């Protein structure tokens, strides 16, 4: 599929408080990236989207939202939820393997070029937005002229 990623774009999807939303979000992110010629980012993007959405659904009450945005060679994926409390700090790598919980943000931190969170109100409801960025890898130069 040809590269069609020059123009900026953004998708937003509201998510019910339902663990099935994680699977829907993963598949939606893959479809979006495939249609925009960014399939090379799909595996990592699916993983971080699933972790962000999973945290929003598992650790908060109420509706959430997934946002996927492309601008200037950077893919930003974020999840909004209705809990204004900061996300729990991610565990250090040496403790992640043995932990039953807390691996999600450690995976996001390891896979993303940049990540963070900010307080954000949506439709009059206070909450937070947790996001990460993936820079698009430049295609390898051709060995043939």
């Amino acid at each position: 599929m040809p590269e069609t990623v020059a123009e900026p774009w953004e998708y937003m999807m509201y998510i019910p408080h339902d663990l099935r939303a994680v699977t829907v979000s993963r598949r939606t992110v893959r479809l979006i990236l495939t249609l925009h010629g960014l399939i090379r980012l799909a595996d990592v993007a699916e993983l971080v989207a699933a972790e962000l959405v999973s945290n929003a659904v598992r650790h908060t009450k109420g509706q959430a939202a997934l946002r996927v945005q492309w601008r200037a060679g950077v893919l930003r994926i974020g999840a909004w939820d209705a809990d204004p409390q900061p996300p729990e700090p991610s565990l250090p790598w040496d403790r992640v393997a043995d932990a039953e919980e807390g691996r999600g943000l450690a995976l996001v931190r390891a896979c993303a070029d940049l990540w963070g969170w900010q307080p954000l109100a949506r439709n009059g409801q206070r909450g937070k937005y947790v996001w990460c960025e993936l820079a698009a890898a430049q295609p390898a130069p051709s060995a043939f002229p």
Side-chain angles (χ1 to χ4, degrees):
M1 182 170 275
E3 289 284 326
T4 58
V5 295
E7 294 297 317
W9 47 259
E10 178 178 333
Y11 293 84
M12 177 95 97
M13 179 173 70
Y14 287 97
I15 300 165
H17 192 259
D18 184 336
L19 282 175
R20 292 174 289 191
V22 176
T23 301
V24 172
S25 297
R26 285 181 73 114
R27 291 179 181 168
T28 301
V29 166
R30 179 167 288 277
L31 179 60
I32 290 168
L33 296 179
T34 299
L35 293 174
H36 284 281
L38 290 167
I39 192 68
R40 68 186 179 278
L41 294 176
D43 291 338
V44 174
E46 270 188 300
L47 174 65
V48 297
E51 294 301 333
L52 295 175
V53 170
S54 176
N55 284 346
V57 173
R58 289 181 64 215
H59 301 297
T60 67
K61 302 245 184 269
Q63 199 175 38
L66 173 68
R67 180 173 155 189
V68 182
Q69 182 181 33
W70 171 263
R71 182 170 287 120
V74 176
L75 181 69
R76 179 177 272 208
I77 300 171
W80 173 85
D81 65 55
D83 182 1
Q85 296 301 313
E88 292 291 323
S90 62
L91 294 173
W93 273 116
D94 60 342
R95 293 181 40 213
V96 168
D98 298 329
E100 289 185 29
E101 289 188 352
R103 293 183 299 267
L105 285 180
L107 283 170
V108 170
R109 188 179 68 200
C111 293
D113 296 301
L114 187 63
W115 82 276
W117 78 277
Q118 62 199 56
L120 182 69
R122 182 170 300 288
N123 300 326
Q125 189 173 19
R126 292 178 53 220
K128 69 180 166 294
Y129 181 64
V130 183
W131 54 270
C132 67
E133 293 182 348
L134 305 174
Q138 296 299 317
S142 173
F144 302 100

